[in-house]
Amino acid sequence: MEEIVEETNGNHEKMVEITVKTIGPARPSCIHVPSSIRVLDLRKLVAGRNRLPVENLKLILRGKVLHDREDADDIFIQLNDGDSLIVAVKPKAPVGLNIDDDDEDLKFQLPQSTSRWKKKLYSFLHNRLKLPDILLMAIFSLSLKAWALIILWFILAPVAHKWELGPLYILGTGFGLIFLNLGRRQPGDVSAYSIFNEDFQELPGTLNADAIDRDIRADTKNKVIQM
């Protein structure tokens, strides 16, 4: 078994020996690393020693895949003597083909510009509560104003029920949602309702008495011509 010793550059940090097992024909090797190390540094160390691409490496320790960062913070791991580190190399896509990782495409990911507190909340909901990605997408697609209105609605709902105003409260909520989503027409746009348009301008395809009369007259005229 090949032994690789990592220099500490004068650092007196405690060193441990771990076994690196690369999936494939490569032989296992032993390396000495600090007991507490960043995953990113460990990945670079393994990649450099074995001449492997850093971006395609997957490290597995004690049955768990190691990630470099969480919520934009570097992840540190605690290593013990005798630990086995499994190294897997993801194959590169053939030249000319752009093959995306299906698992990554199906996962909900926050934009890089997301605030820190949102990343913390996402980490808690995703990693601790194990919420599905479709639910996380619904949660983080709403603005703070929308969430404030939702919370206010649930606070006022028991009050409406106590005063026996539940049906009116539901109807009012429905009308409120309709008016909030009407939007604003730009100058020159035609309303979806002809009565609100200037000079009662009809929309294309509008069905009214005049259109029915024209269809009847046209149908009668065609029958007379055929006779």
Side-chain angles (χ1 to χ4, degrees):
M1 185 177 293
E2 182 185 359
E3 181 177 359
I4 301 173
V5 179
E6 176 67 9
E7 297 181 358
T8 60
N9 295 327
N11 195 342
H12 298 288
E13 189 172 2
K14 180 183 176 181
M15 305 293 291
V16 295
E17 182 184 69
I18 64 173
T19 303
V20 178
K21 299 179 180 179
T22 304
I23 297 178
R27 297 177 56 188
S29 61
C30 291
I31 60 174
H32 288 79
V33 295
S35 58
S36 178
I37 186 173
R38 291 193 311 169
V39 174
L40 180 60
D41 293 336
L42 181 60
R43 186 186 306 277
K44 291 179 178 179
L45 172 62
V46 173
R49 292 293 186 179
N50 295 277
R51 297 180 180 179
L52 299 173
V54 179
E55 63 277 4
N56 290 347
L57 282 189
K58 281 194 175 183
L59 306 181
I60 304 172
L61 179 67
R62 306 182 192 115
K64 294 183 178 180
V65 178
L66 302 181
H67 300 281
D68 296 341
R69 294 181 177 85
E70 182 178 2
D71 303 334
D73 296 329
D74 291 330
I75 297 178
F76 284 80
I77 56 172
Q78 193 70 29
L79 298 173
N80 301 318
D81 274 317
D83 279 342
S84 293
L85 181 69
I86 308 298
V87 180
V89 182
K90 185 173 68 173
K92 294 182 179 180
V95 179
L97 293 180
N98 185 15
I99 302 178
D100 296 329
D101 191 346
D102 294 338
D103 292 338
E104 294 296 329
D105 291 340
L106 295 176
K107 292 181 179 178
F108 171 70
Q109 297 180 351
L110 291 175
Q112 295 294 334
S113 58
T114 304
S115 59
R116 189 178 185 85
W117 73 268
K118 280 190 176 181
K119 292 181 179 179
K120 294 288 185 182
L121 178 60
Y122 171 80
S123 176
F124 175 77
L125 296 177
H126 183 265
N127 300 329
R128 298 291 180 86
L129 300 184
K130 305 296 183 181
L131 295 183
D133 289 335
I134 187 67
L135 185 56
L136 292 174
M137 187 181 302
I139 292 174
F140 287 94
S141 61
L142 297 177
S143 63
L144 287 177
K145 182 180 179 180
W147 276 112
L149 292 175
I150 292 174
I151 294 173
L152 180 63
W153 189 91
F154 279 102
I155 292 175
L156 296 178
V159 179
H161 177 71
K162 181 180 179 180
W163 289 91
E164 299 182 354
L165 297 175
L168 291 178
Y169 189 70
I170 298 297
L171 289 175
T173 301
F175 283 114
L177 291 175
I178 292 174
F179 282 112
L180 288 175
N181 288 277
L182 285 179
R184 295 183 178 179
R185 288 188 289 120
Q186 300 296 327
D189 290 347
V190 180
S191 173
Y193 303 95
S194 301
I195 193 174
F196 295 116
N197 293 327
E198 186 177 358
D199 298 328
F200 301 103
Q201 180 183 353
E202 295 181 359
L203 299 175
T206 301
L207 181 62
N208 52 26
D210 292 336
I212 295 174
D213 182 65
R214 285 195 300 268
D215 293 340
I216 294 176
R217 290 177 182 274
D219 186 58
T220 303
K221 183 177 180 181
N222 292 333
K223 289 181 179 179
V224 172
I225 293 175
Q226 291 176 1
M227 293 176 60

